[in-house]
Short mmCIF file of all heavy atoms in Angstrom, two decimals:
data_model
loop_
_atom_site.label_atom_id
_atom_site.label_comp_id
_atom_site.label_asym_id
_atom_site.label_seq_id
_atom_site.Cartn_x
_atom_site.Cartn_y
_atom_site.Cartn_z
N VAL A 895 91.12 62.50 103.06
CA VAL A 895 91.13 61.21 103.75
C VAL A 895 91.71 61.41 105.12
O VAL A 895 92.78 62.00 105.27
CB VAL A 895 91.96 60.17 102.96
CG1 VAL A 895 91.98 58.85 103.72
CG2 VAL A 895 91.38 59.99 101.57
N PHE A 896 91.01 60.95 106.14
CA PHE A 896 91.45 61.13 107.51
C PHE A 896 91.62 59.76 108.15
O PHE A 896 90.66 59.01 108.30
CB PHE A 896 90.40 61.94 108.29
CG PHE A 896 90.83 62.27 109.69
CD1 PHE A 896 91.79 63.24 109.92
CD2 PHE A 896 90.26 61.62 110.77
CE1 PHE A 896 92.17 63.56 111.20
CE2 PHE A 896 90.65 61.92 112.05
CZ PHE A 896 91.60 62.89 112.27
N SER A 897 92.86 59.40 108.49
CA SER A 897 93.12 58.09 109.07
C SER A 897 92.71 58.06 110.52
O SER A 897 92.70 59.09 111.20
CB SER A 897 94.61 57.75 108.93
OG SER A 897 95.40 58.71 109.59
N GLY A 898 92.43 56.88 110.99
CA GLY A 898 91.93 56.76 112.36
C GLY A 898 92.97 57.05 113.40
O GLY A 898 92.69 57.64 114.41
N GLU A 899 94.21 56.61 113.19
CA GLU A 899 95.24 56.80 114.19
C GLU A 899 96.54 57.16 113.51
O GLU A 899 96.76 56.87 112.34
CB GLU A 899 95.42 55.53 115.03
CG GLU A 899 94.18 55.19 115.87
CD GLU A 899 94.42 53.94 116.68
OE1 GLU A 899 95.15 53.06 116.20
OE2 GLU A 899 93.89 53.84 117.78
N GLU A 900 97.43 57.79 114.28
CA GLU A 900 98.75 58.12 113.77
C GLU A 900 99.65 56.91 113.88
O GLU A 900 99.61 56.17 114.86
CB GLU A 900 99.35 59.28 114.57
CG GLU A 900 98.56 60.58 114.45
CD GLU A 900 99.16 61.64 115.32
OE1 GLU A 900 99.70 61.28 116.37
OE2 GLU A 900 99.09 62.82 114.95
N SER A 901 100.47 56.69 112.88
CA SER A 901 101.41 55.57 112.93
C SER A 901 102.60 55.93 113.78
O SER A 901 102.91 57.09 113.99
CB SER A 901 101.86 55.22 111.51
OG SER A 901 102.48 56.33 110.91
N ALA A 902 103.29 54.90 114.26
CA ALA A 902 104.45 55.12 115.11
C ALA A 902 105.52 55.87 114.34
O ALA A 902 105.68 55.71 113.14
CB ALA A 902 105.00 53.76 115.58
N GLY A 903 106.28 56.65 115.07
CA GLY A 903 107.36 57.41 114.44
C GLY A 903 107.00 58.85 114.22
O GLY A 903 107.84 59.63 113.85
N GLY A 904 105.74 59.26 114.42
CA GLY A 904 105.38 60.67 114.36
C GLY A 904 104.82 61.08 113.02
O GLY A 904 104.85 60.35 112.05
N THR A 905 104.28 62.29 113.00
CA THR A 905 103.70 62.84 111.79
C THR A 905 104.79 63.41 110.91
O THR A 905 105.92 63.61 111.33
CB THR A 905 102.71 63.95 112.15
OG1 THR A 905 103.42 64.98 112.82
CG2 THR A 905 101.60 63.43 113.05
N SER A 906 104.42 63.73 109.70
CA SER A 906 105.41 64.21 108.73
C SER A 906 105.54 65.71 108.71
O SER A 906 106.22 66.25 107.87
CB SER A 906 105.01 63.72 107.33
OG SER A 906 103.74 64.23 107.00
N GLY A 907 104.86 66.40 109.61
CA GLY A 907 104.97 67.86 109.61
C GLY A 907 104.04 68.49 108.60
O GLY A 907 103.20 67.84 108.02
N GLU A 908 104.21 69.81 108.37
CA GLU A 908 103.35 70.51 107.44
C GLU A 908 103.83 70.33 106.01
O GLU A 908 104.94 69.90 105.75
CB GLU A 908 103.32 72.00 107.81
CG GLU A 908 102.77 72.24 109.20
CD GLU A 908 102.68 73.72 109.50
OE1 GLU A 908 102.58 74.50 108.55
OE2 GLU A 908 102.70 74.07 110.68
N PHE A 909 102.98 70.68 105.04
CA PHE A 909 103.29 70.55 103.62
C PHE A 909 104.53 71.36 103.25
O PHE A 909 104.67 72.51 103.66
CB PHE A 909 102.09 71.05 102.81
CG PHE A 909 102.40 71.17 101.33
CD1 PHE A 909 102.47 70.04 100.54
CD2 PHE A 909 102.63 72.41 100.77
CE1 PHE A 909 102.75 70.17 99.19
CE2 PHE A 909 102.91 72.53 99.43
CZ PHE A 909 102.96 71.40 98.63
N SER A 910 105.45 70.71 102.50
CA SER A 910 106.68 71.37 102.07
C SER A 910 106.73 71.38 100.55
O SER A 910 106.79 70.32 99.91
CB SER A 910 107.90 70.64 102.64
OG SER A 910 109.08 71.16 102.06
N LEU A 911 106.68 72.56 99.95
CA LEU A 911 106.74 72.69 98.50
C LEU A 911 108.07 72.20 97.96
O LEU A 911 108.14 71.54 96.91
CB LEU A 911 106.49 74.15 98.10
CG LEU A 911 106.55 74.46 96.60
CD1 LEU A 911 105.48 73.66 95.86
CD2 LEU A 911 106.39 75.95 96.36
N LEU A 912 109.16 72.51 98.67
CA LEU A 912 110.49 72.09 98.22
C LEU A 912 110.59 70.57 98.17
O LEU A 912 111.11 69.98 97.21
CB LEU A 912 111.55 72.68 99.15
CG LEU A 912 113.00 72.31 98.83
CD1 LEU A 912 113.38 72.79 97.43
CD2 LEU A 912 113.94 72.90 99.87
N GLU A 913 110.09 69.93 99.23
CA GLU A 913 110.14 68.46 99.27
C GLU A 913 109.32 67.86 98.12
O GLU A 913 109.72 66.88 97.48
CB GLU A 913 109.62 67.98 100.62
CG GLU A 913 109.66 66.47 100.79
CD GLU A 913 109.12 66.05 102.14
OE1 GLU A 913 108.83 66.94 102.97
OE2 GLU A 913 108.98 64.83 102.36
N TYR A 914 108.16 68.44 97.87
CA TYR A 914 107.29 67.95 96.79
C TYR A 914 107.98 68.06 95.43
O TYR A 914 107.96 67.13 94.62
CB TYR A 914 105.99 68.75 96.81
CG TYR A 914 105.03 68.40 95.70
CD1 TYR A 914 104.18 67.30 95.82
CD2 TYR A 914 104.98 69.16 94.54
CE1 TYR A 914 103.31 66.97 94.80
CE2 TYR A 914 104.11 68.84 93.51
CZ TYR A 914 103.27 67.73 93.65
OH TYR A 914 102.41 67.42 92.63
N LEU A 915 108.63 69.20 95.17
CA LEU A 915 109.31 69.40 93.89
C LEU A 915 110.48 68.45 93.72
O LEU A 915 110.75 67.93 92.62
CB LEU A 915 109.78 70.85 93.78
CG LEU A 915 108.67 71.91 93.67
CD1 LEU A 915 109.27 73.30 93.69
CD2 LEU A 915 107.85 71.69 92.40
N MET A 916 111.22 68.19 94.81
CA MET A 916 112.36 67.26 94.73
C MET A 916 111.90 65.84 94.41
O MET A 916 112.49 65.14 93.58
CB MET A 916 113.13 67.29 96.05
CG MET A 916 113.87 68.61 96.31
SD MET A 916 114.68 68.65 97.92
CE MET A 916 115.88 67.33 97.70
N LYS A 917 110.81 65.42 95.05
CA LYS A 917 110.29 64.08 94.78
C LYS A 917 109.78 63.97 93.34
O LYS A 917 110.00 62.95 92.66
CB LYS A 917 109.17 63.75 95.76
CG LYS A 917 109.66 63.50 97.18
CD LYS A 917 108.50 63.16 98.10
CE LYS A 917 109.00 62.87 99.51
NZ LYS A 917 107.88 62.54 100.43
N ALA A 918 109.10 65.01 92.88
CA ALA A 918 108.60 64.99 91.51
C ALA A 918 109.74 64.93 90.50
O ALA A 918 109.68 64.22 89.49
CB ALA A 918 107.74 66.24 91.26
N ALA A 919 110.83 65.67 90.78
CA ALA A 919 111.99 65.66 89.88
C ALA A 919 112.62 64.27 89.81
O ALA A 919 113.05 63.80 88.74
CB ALA A 919 113.01 66.69 90.33
N LEU A 920 112.70 63.57 90.96
CA LEU A 920 113.26 62.22 90.98
C LEU A 920 112.41 61.25 90.16
O LEU A 920 112.93 60.42 89.39
CB LEU A 920 113.39 61.73 92.43
CG LEU A 920 114.51 62.37 93.26
CD1 LEU A 920 114.43 61.91 94.70
CD2 LEU A 920 115.88 62.01 92.67
N TRP A 921 111.09 61.34 90.31
CA TRP A 921 110.20 60.46 89.54
C TRP A 921 110.35 60.72 88.04
O TRP A 921 110.37 59.79 87.22
CB TRP A 921 108.75 60.66 89.96
CG TRP A 921 108.40 59.93 91.23
CD1 TRP A 921 108.14 60.44 92.45
CD2 TRP A 921 108.28 58.51 91.37
NE1 TRP A 921 107.87 59.47 93.36
CE2 TRP A 921 107.94 58.24 92.72
CE3 TRP A 921 108.44 57.41 90.49
CZ2 TRP A 921 107.75 56.96 93.21
CZ3 TRP A 921 108.23 56.13 90.99
CH2 TRP A 921 107.90 55.91 92.33
N ILE A 922 110.46 61.97 87.65
CA ILE A 922 110.64 62.30 86.23
C ILE A 922 111.97 61.75 85.72
O ILE A 922 112.07 61.21 84.60
CB ILE A 922 110.55 63.82 86.02
CG1 ILE A 922 109.12 64.30 86.32
CG2 ILE A 922 110.96 64.22 84.61
CD1 ILE A 922 108.98 65.80 86.32
N PHE A 923 113.03 61.87 86.55
CA PHE A 923 114.35 61.38 86.16
C PHE A 923 114.34 59.86 85.94
O PHE A 923 114.86 59.34 84.94
CB PHE A 923 115.37 61.78 87.22
CG PHE A 923 116.76 61.26 86.94
CD1 PHE A 923 117.53 61.80 85.92
CD2 PHE A 923 117.28 60.23 87.71
CE1 PHE A 923 118.80 61.32 85.67
CE2 PHE A 923 118.56 59.75 87.45
CZ PHE A 923 119.32 60.29 86.44
N PHE A 924 113.74 59.11 86.92
CA PHE A 924 113.67 57.66 86.78
C PHE A 924 112.84 57.26 85.57
O PHE A 924 113.15 56.30 84.85
CB PHE A 924 113.09 57.04 88.05
CG PHE A 924 114.04 57.07 89.22
CD1 PHE A 924 113.61 57.47 90.47
CD2 PHE A 924 115.38 56.70 89.06
CE1 PHE A 924 114.48 57.50 91.54
CE2 PHE A 924 116.25 56.73 90.14
CZ PHE A 924 115.81 57.14 91.38
N GLY A 925 111.75 57.98 85.32
CA GLY A 925 110.93 57.68 84.15
C GLY A 925 111.70 57.89 82.86
O GLY A 925 111.56 57.13 81.89
N PHE A 926 112.53 58.95 82.84
CA PHE A 926 113.34 59.23 81.66
C PHE A 926 114.35 58.12 81.40
O PHE A 926 114.58 57.70 80.27
CB PHE A 926 114.04 60.58 81.85
CG PHE A 926 114.88 61.00 80.68
CD1 PHE A 926 114.29 61.38 79.48
CD2 PHE A 926 116.27 61.00 80.76
CE1 PHE A 926 115.06 61.75 78.39
CE2 PHE A 926 117.04 61.37 79.68
CZ PHE A 926 116.44 61.75 78.49
N LEU A 927 114.98 57.57 82.47
CA LEU A 927 115.93 56.47 82.33
C LEU A 927 115.24 55.22 81.77
O LEU A 927 115.79 54.51 80.90
CB LEU A 927 116.58 56.16 83.68
CG LEU A 927 117.56 57.21 84.22
CD1 LEU A 927 118.09 56.78 85.58
CD2 LEU A 927 118.72 57.43 83.25
N LEU A 928 114.04 54.92 82.29
CA LEU A 928 113.31 53.76 81.79
C LEU A 928 112.97 53.92 80.31
O LEU A 928 113.04 52.96 79.52
CB LEU A 928 112.03 53.57 82.61
CG LEU A 928 112.23 53.08 84.05
CD1 LEU A 928 110.90 53.08 84.79
CD2 LEU A 928 112.83 51.68 84.05
#
Side-chain angles (χ1 to χ4, degrees):
V895 178
F896 185 74
S897 60
E899 294 180 328
E900 296 176 329
S901 60
T905 62
S906 60
E908 299 183 25
F909 171 76
S910 172
L911 178 61
L912 179 60
E913 182 181 354
Y914 177 82
L915 293 175
M916 291 177 64
K917 289 181 178 180
L920 287 174
W921 280 110
I922 293 172
F923 177 71
F924 287 134
F926 181 70
L927 290 179
L928 289 174

